[in-house]
Amino acid sequence: MKKSDWSRFRKHAARPERIVWAVAEHEGRRSICPLGWKMNTSGSPPMMAVSVAPSRFTHGLIEQSGELALAWPGEDLAEATLLCGTRSGRDMDKFAEAGLTPLPGEHVKAPLVAECVANLECRVVGRLTTGDHTIFACEILAVWLHDQPKRLCVSCDRSAGYDILLDKDGRIFGAVKAD
Amino acid sequence: MKKSDWSRFRKHAARPERIVWAVAEHEGRRSICPLGWKMNTSGSPPMMAVSVAPSRFTHGLIEQSGELALAWPGEDLAEATLLCGTRSGRDMDKFAEAGLTPLPGEHVKAPLVAECVANLECRVVGRLTTGDHTIFACEILAVWLHDQPKRLCVSCDRSAGYDILLDKDGRIFGAVKAD
């Protein structure tokens, strides 16, 4: 073994990373923030945790509303993921800009995304400040699946095993290659 | 979209999941706990978060020592991952049982694993209790990489795109298929 650094480790071991969109709404403003940093964190009750940077507009909406939707983009939403990840919801409505269809949830005010493979309605039940992000621990109140299964959109690199969906501005999105 | 449930969502969207081993030591006892539930949670300083069930022997070692190593098994360690994930460190020394080589770290008492693709020395800097797990927020103090790159061991299913390394007792470990 040899001593290395975090950036080299991340090149080696941080991808592929399934992408999830954190979707939140508060007082009539809504936004979508694509994330790679998420994990399951409880089986009973079902919970996921996400890491969101405080600078993101969506971070404030989650803090203020205490709710969010976790929407999972499929391989047809690579362009929308890039748009939502590189523009700020302070300046635009991302649903309109990306041609996405908001749907009402049953438990949370945050809209679901009709085009996504899956949507989870979530209530924030815990938070922890880490170095430059906030961990939101999210209890999953309802699960919605799209009628048509699709491969999930992942953040990846050009190593073998992925169909590349988009390669722009240093970001590569793909889907695990089928046989 | 149609209403569904957590277990169906997890079948659909929880895999592949790179596996990491949480390795901890306290007062002469050490253990290895394979995890799928982990995420990056800070860029500066570098941090990762892991979710560990309190019932795991390693959970107590992390709590008591405030330190751990995150060791990343490659495709040659699927059997060792199964052993470490299905037996308890209360009853055995998993290094000996799985034929693994402990190496001293520079910052933490937790041993590194010589056979792993990468090892991260970590100090616990935050914790959050979720439903049935504990999130440990870990600052990364040092990064070690194996001399030979290997594909990482992932928890996967029998969908396309993976070379299956092991399929036993309901657990399937693989590596992303090369072209």
Side-chain angles (χ1 to χ4, degrees):
Chain A
M1 285 199 305
K2 49 178 175 288
K3 201 90 172 271
S4 187
D5 56 45
W6 177 237
S7 62
R8 191 160 304 183
F9 169 75
R10 285 191 55 192
K11 267 188 198 160
H12 193 75
R15 294 194 160 78
E17 192 75 91
R18 271 185 301 284
I19 294 163
V20 63
W21 295 352
V23 187
E25 177 171 332
H26 184 65
E27 294 184 349
R29 303 294 304 277
R30 62 190 181 188
S31 196
I32 299 172
C33 178
L35 304 172
W37 296 2
K38 80 290 169 199
M39 64 177 170
N40 293 330
T41 191
S42 172
S44 177
M47 292 176 63
M48 292 198 76
V50 294
S51 295
V52 185
S55 60
R56 303 300 300 255
F57 182 57
T58 305
H59 186 282
L61 300 178
I62 297 171
E63 286 275 23
Q64 290 160 333
S65 67
E67 298 176 344
L68 68 157
L70 292 174
W72 301 77
E75 56 185 311
D76 52 338
L77 294 177
E79 281 287 351
T81 300
L82 183 68
L83 185 150
C84 292
T86 53
R87 306 285 296 277
S88 175
R90 289 183 186 88
D91 312 320
M92 64 169 68
D93 177 67
K94 291 185 180 176
F95 280 91
E97 199 76 20
L100 299 166
T101 312
L103 292 177
E106 287 185 356
H107 301 270
V108 301
K109 191 177 272 187
L112 314 183
V113 184
E115 290 79 6
C116 279
V117 175
N119 283 269
L120 309 178
E121 297 187 49
C122 301
R123 178 172 54 211
V124 176
V125 294
R127 67 189 303 292
L128 180 66
T129 299
T130 60
D132 55 19
H133 279 65
T134 304
I135 294 176
F136 293 110
C138 306
E139 185 175 348
I140 295 162
L141 306 175
V143 175
W144 299 87
L145 295 182
H146 199 280
D147 300 328
Q148 293 177 310
K150 301 172 196 177
R151 291 186 300 171
L152 289 168
C153 183
V154 302
S155 171
C156 63
D157 54 28
R158 288 218 163 257
S159 60
Y162 309 99
D163 290 322
I164 303 299
L165 304 169
L166 178 155
D167 183 350
K168 202 186 284 187
D169 304 336
R171 289 176 177 80
I172 304 179
F173 299 142
V176 174
K177 206 182 273 275
D179 280 328
Chain B
M1 286 200 303
K2 51 177 173 288
K3 201 89 171 274
S4 187
D5 57 46
W6 178 235
S7 62
R8 191 161 304 182
F9 168 76
R10 286 190 56 191
K11 268 189 200 161
H12 192 74
R15 294 194 160 80
E17 192 75 270
R18 268 185 303 284
I19 294 163
V20 63
W21 295 352
V23 187
E25 177 171 333
H26 185 65
E27 295 184 348
R29 303 295 305 277
R30 62 190 181 188
S31 197
I32 299 172
C33 177
L35 303 171
W37 296 3
K38 81 289 168 198
M39 64 177 170
N40 293 330
T41 190
S42 173
S44 177
M47 292 176 64
M48 293 198 76
V50 294
S51 295
V52 185
S55 59
R56 303 301 298 255
F57 182 57
T58 305
H59 186 282
L61 300 178
I62 298 171
E63 286 275 23
Q64 290 160 333
S65 66
E67 299 176 343
L68 68 158
L70 292 174
W72 300 75
E75 56 184 312
D76 52 339
L77 294 177
E79 281 287 351
T81 300
L82 183 68
L83 185 149
C84 292
T86 52
R87 307 284 296 276
S88 175
R90 288 183 187 89
D91 312 319
M92 64 169 68
D93 176 66
K94 291 184 181 178
F95 280 91
E97 198 76 23
L100 299 166
T101 311
L103 291 177
E106 288 186 355
H107 301 271
V108 301
K109 190 177 275 186
L112 313 182
V113 184
E115 291 79 6
C116 278
V117 175
N119 282 270
L120 309 178
E121 297 187 49
C122 301
R123 178 172 55 212
V124 176
V125 294
R127 65 188 304 294
L128 181 65
T129 300
T130 60
D132 54 20
H133 280 63
T134 303
I135 295 177
F136 293 109
C138 306
E139 185 175 347
I140 295 161
L141 306 175
V143 175
W144 300 87
L145 294 183
H146 199 278
D147 301 327
Q148 294 178 309
K150 302 171 195 175
R151 292 186 299 171
L152 290 168
C153 183
V154 302
S155 171
C156 63
D157 55 27
R158 288 218 162 256
S159 61
Y162 309 99
D163 289 323
I164 303 300
L165 304 169
L166 178 154
D167 183 349
K168 203 186 286 187
D169 303 337
R171 288 174 177 81
I172 304 179
F173 300 142
V176 173
K177 206 183 274 277
D179 280 329

